[in-house]
Amino acid sequence: MKGVTVSIDRIVIDFTDVYWDFFNEFHKRICHFYGVKMTVGERGFQYRLKINTGEHFLHISYKLVYAPKTRKNTLRIEVYPKSLVYFRYWLEQIRDFANEILFVRCDVAFDIPVPINDLFSMSTKGRKLRLFKGTRYYNGKHQRQEDGYCRVYDKKRQLMETGRQGIKGEQTRMEIVYAPKGKLPLAALVQFPPQFNSKYLCAVLTDLSKFTPKVGRLVQEIQQGELLPQDTTPYYRKKIQEQMKTQDVFDLNEVAAEQWQEAITLPCAILSGKVSHLPIQEVRSG
């Protein structure tokens, strides 16, 4: 499919073995600079601070609550790629004091130049579809950080409603969380583009007459929000997948792989200082 662009919308990174002495002084300086306060929690990470300028945001967390008491702890950041340059001065300080810089997860966004009503999506792993204000969500809100969590929405409409610059033509965005089972060295992330074809079927509907009458009716009802895929039988979900090959099927793996290096170059450059094409074993030992 032509005209599809791939980008990273939100990225989470762990910096390992960051000394408390560094973090203690660092958080005082950054909190003073942005006029924010650090909070202390009893779940997840113990120390947290959130910076939100309206256009840019950076969340910093330090020391897992359950981790044994030590002078060195994990520091986690969550940031939009567009904010990396803005916060570069602070992020490079963290980078210089970390032992390893590990990729935790990110949102991979596919911007597809078709109306949302023409883009069919369905989980192939049994994830339930939820509909809310025109957005399609796969799995519950509490699973937002899990690998494969997905939402599909009208990007053009969203930009218009938020008063931001509009888009020429139609655009539907499909965002999928990419969270490998094992954390990867960020510098080597270029070697590991996400694999989503096994999780989702995605296709542009071009000719409904190519479906059998029953399957075509089910596809229409799903697109119109009158029917949820999980409310059909396994037999017909399989038939929908089989007959969807008559439409313009979107190869998520291929498109992601083609644009992956460009999408992750900026995070790798700022947060790890390099992009490595070496086998991961060599990256770890190096």
Side-chain angles (χ1 to χ4, degrees):
M1 185 187 303
K2 296 181 179 180
V4 179
T5 58
V6 178
S7 60
I8 295 176
D9 194 41
R10 182 191 301 252
I11 190 166
V12 179
I13 302 295
D14 277 354
F15 296 85
T16 68
D17 297 334
V18 176
Y19 278 93
W20 165 257
D21 290 346
F22 163 77
F23 176 74
N24 191 32
E25 293 301 318
F26 174 84
H27 96 264
K28 292 176 183 177
R29 288 185 284 110
I30 196 170
C31 285
H32 175 73
F33 187 86
Y34 289 103
V36 298
K37 293 183 179 180
M38 184 174 70
T39 60
V40 180
E42 298 181 353
R43 298 179 61 184
F45 282 86
Q46 187 168 359
Y47 304 103
R48 301 180 183 183
L49 59 97
K50 298 182 179 181
I51 302 166
N52 192 334
T53 68
E55 182 179 359
H56 300 285
F57 96 100
L58 171 65
H59 293 183
I60 299 176
S61 306
Y62 182 75
K63 188 184 182 302
L64 289 164
V65 171
Y66 62 78
K69 190 173 182 180
T70 176
R71 292 178 60 209
K72 296 186 294 184
N73 296 281
T74 296
L75 186 153
R76 174 170 292 183
I77 68 162
E78 181 174 343
V79 64
Y80 288 129
K82 70 175 185 179
S83 300
L84 287 170
V85 174
Y86 180 82
F87 291 112
R88 184 170 188 167
Y89 169 77
W90 303 98
L91 295 172
E92 289 183 345
Q93 292 180 51
I94 301 172
R95 181 185 78 191
D96 293 342
F97 281 86
N99 180 31
E100 285 190 296
I101 302 165
L102 304 177
F103 172 74
V104 179
R105 66 178 180 273
C106 71
D107 291 352
V108 181
F110 298 86
D111 286 320
I112 307 166
V114 298
I116 191 168
N117 290 336
D118 290 346
L119 187 72
F120 182 87
S121 58
M122 187 171 72
S123 170
T124 59
K125 295 293 186 180
R127 292 182 173 90
K128 293 182 178 180
L129 171 64
R130 296 183 299 115
L131 302 175
F132 182 71
K133 293 184 177 181
T135 298
R136 306 168 190 167
Y137 296 91
Y138 292 92
N139 274 7
K141 189 176 181 179
H142 65 287
Q143 297 167 307
R144 173 67 181 82
Q145 299 178 356
E146 294 182 9
D147 184 58
Y149 178 92
C150 174
R151 65 173 183 158
V152 183
Y153 61 95
D154 188 332
K155 183 65 176 178
K156 181 178 181 178
R157 178 182 173 184
Q158 184 214 39
L159 292 176
M160 292 177 60
E161 290 178 346
T162 55
R164 288 180 285 175
Q165 185 176 358
I167 298 173
K168 293 182 179 179
E170 299 294 335
Q171 189 174 107
T172 298
R173 172 165 286 196
M174 185 176 192
E175 288 180 1
I176 309 175
V177 174
Y178 176 36
K181 291 183 179 180
K183 297 176 185 177
L184 301 170
L186 179 60
L189 186 59
V190 67
Q191 303 175 45
F192 301 93
Q195 303 285 306
F196 294 138
N197 282 351
S198 61
K199 296 179 173 66
Y200 290 99
L201 168 66
C202 182
V204 177
L205 300 176
T206 56
D207 188 353
L208 294 180
S209 68
K210 292 185 178 180
F211 294 112
T212 60
K214 174 68 174 182
V215 171
R217 186 168 67 253
L218 292 175
V219 169
Q220 281 188 303
E221 291 176 354
I222 290 172
Q223 286 300 92
Q224 294 168 2
E226 300 171 356
L227 177 71
L228 298 177
Q230 60 265 27
D231 293 334
T232 64
T233 64
Y235 172 82
Y236 276 109
R237 287 198 294 273
K238 184 178 180 181
K239 287 298 180 182
I240 289 173
Q241 293 182 46
E242 291 174 352
Q243 295 183 30
M244 197 58 64
K245 296 175 183 177
T246 63
Q247 310 299 302
D248 187 2
V249 177
F250 179 30
D251 191 320
L252 296 166
N253 291 359
E254 181 179 345
V255 176
E258 288 174 350
Q259 302 184 42
W260 187 238
Q261 181 170 343
E262 181 180 355
I264 56 90
T265 291
L266 181 63
C268 289
I270 291 181
L271 298 174
S272 71
K274 58 184 178 181
V275 178
S276 176
H277 296 270
L278 295 173
I280 194 168
Q281 293 84 357
E282 295 182 38
V283 172
R284 286 190 178 279
S285 62

